Amino acid sequence: MSARTHPVIGGLLALLLALTGLVALPAPSRAATAVCALACDTLDPSKARQETFPVPSRNINGRTLRLHVSDPDSMAWASIDDGVSGDSVWLDRSWDRGATWEPLLGKASIPGTWTGTRTLMYNITDPAGHRRGWVRACGDAAGVACTDWVYPTVCDGSSCDGADPATAAGDATPVPPATLYGRTISLHVDRQTGMAWGVIAGGGAGDEIWLDRSWDGGASRPEGSSLGRTSVPSGAASTRTVMFATRDPRGLLYGGAVRACGREASHQEGSCTAWVRPAPTRARAAADALMASYRTDEGWWRSSWWNSAAALTALIDFARHSGRHDYDWAIARTFEQNRGVFPAGGRSSDPIEGDFISRAIDDSAWWAVAWVEAYDYTGERRYLDEAVTITDYVHQYWDTGTCGGGVWWNRERTYKNAVTNGLYLWLATSLHQRLAGDTVWGGRATAAADWYLASGLIGSSGLVNDGLTANCANNGQTVWSYNQGLAIGAFTQLWRSTGSGRYLDTAERLADAAMSSTALTRDGVLTESCDVGTGSCDDNQKQFKGIFIRCFADLADATGSAAYRAYVDRQADSVWATDRDSLNRLGQRWSGTSPNASDWRTQASALEALTAAEGS
């Protein structure tokens, strides 16, 4: 029988060789699967937006081996120069801190009479897979060697892995400590920076403390186990780790989670705290958790088309109020990746025909709202032009031949409802405000407002029902928060444009009705009809309340009403106190009652409440 290396010793040897750059054979790893982030693996380096050399080049028998990195693309490539025909170069990529790696990525050999060559580009990060990678350049020129791994340390701005907890701006313990054999294991967070560290106390020499870090809420942690593992020194009863970052903007990974784990010296088993996502501010915590579900490769939140528009609007709203620019790239990414044509099932059950347009008129209009907000935030004209294109399409379905006006809900012209007409009124008013010298959209806005007020959509109690019957009467169907909110927001904006007290009076009447009626508010908290009892809200309804509160907050700002502002604050306080877990995931029911589903739609909705309150 041939001799075998013990698997643990072999793994440690492979890791040691990897870190020193002296590599004989790669450690076993699964075959490389193409990764797509901002671009897909094997992009040509000529398309790189930047070229940097973050690790030293390496000499292999007179040849120069370099690792090239483009941070704006989150990609890397390798080159070998001063060589001869047959010399080769490649990348290794590891998802577990160099313990194993995908070898020979893009391997290329120097051809003919050339003296150098390079690989194609490969991703350093995999946000869609919630993985953070290390990459290095390797070459074979009568001997194999590799550069150092790039970016083994996570940095969030100026805060990097390995910082001393003594430099923390604050010290919070967001979850209860774990206990083990009389020891206390606690997780500490600097809420200002999001950096975290662990402490073990009440023990003795040899006890250990470390952090685990995960980019998918604790489901996996190949790159983040046993970080900062530290032993209690002789004569002491406690110790702590260094600090570790919980966000990796360079890797487009946000909402990282950490936990503190420890072990008593004489036992192998350990104990850990709950997983935590730090919360420097309430709204930022919600935004980070929302972005953990963003599909960077596809540029949207997968599986819901109009909901993605509303989620992007919430993200832009957060950026505008907070002054943070963490996610500015996602605005352009969403626009560029989704402006084209998609078959049915690609983005929606309907085909997307280009320019975010489909047979669902309201779905199209939600995207126009997002691009108006993007224009206001970035000043980029392409977003306003897109909003005009979409709203022109919506206007095609304004029809005075049925019910005297109003926009149809769908291309088949089967229904005139509150959501489509609230969107149209808001958009027409917004375009009039932003297009210099406009002589079209202002008239359309006032015509839409006059029709809305006379249509019967607003019931006698000041609540907006879902739509109109075939006979053009209020159909008495469910009062949804987003219909109420869109009307509040649209009439508020129209008042800003015209100065007409009639429109502001309407917005205030709708707001007062929303606050006082149990159809929308219970115990002071905004409550959808599907939030009550054992009910549950579908994927569309999950996002309604956030739309309402954004529009309601606009009215609060316009009027300076203390009552309206207090209502906004009440929603945010309830969300944060009762509707949040340790990973800052926010649920459908802002009162926190059960059953309470949570996903990225409920996250985006509740983010609007937290953003609105921070703007007060």
Side-chain angles (χ1 to χ4, degrees), residues 87-169:
D87 291 348
S88 60
V89 65
W90 65 88
L91 291 174
D92 288 342
R93 180 170 61 195
S94 175
W95 303 108
D96 55 10
R97 306 199 337 253
T100 64
W101 54 87
E102 299 169 331
L104 308 177
L105 296 180
K107 184 176 181 179
S109 297
I110 298 177
T113 58
W114 292 22
T115 60
T117 192
R118 65 186 183 186
T119 69
L120 296 174
M121 296 170 69
Y122 285 80
N123 279 289
I124 304 173
T125 186
D126 180 19
H130 304 288
R131 299 185 299 173
R132 182 181 180 278
W134 293 9
V135 171
R136 66 183 178 183
C138 297
D140 185 354
V144 175
C146 297
T147 67
D148 295 335
W149 294 101
V150 75
Y151 301 146
T153 299
V154 180
C155 290
D156 181 10
S158 61
S159 301
C160 296
D161 289 351
D164 188 336
T167 65

Side-chain angles (χ1 to χ4, degrees), residues 51-65:
E51 183 177 16
T52 62
F53 308 95
V55 297
S57 59
R58 191 167 183 84
N59 184 287
I60 314 176
N61 295 318
R63 286 74 158 173
T64 301
L65 176 69

Side-chain angles (χ1 to χ4, degrees), residues 198-214:
V199 173
I200 189 167
D207 292 350
E208 293 182 316
I209 181 71
W210 65 90
L211 289 185
D212 289 341
R213 179 169 59 198
S214 172

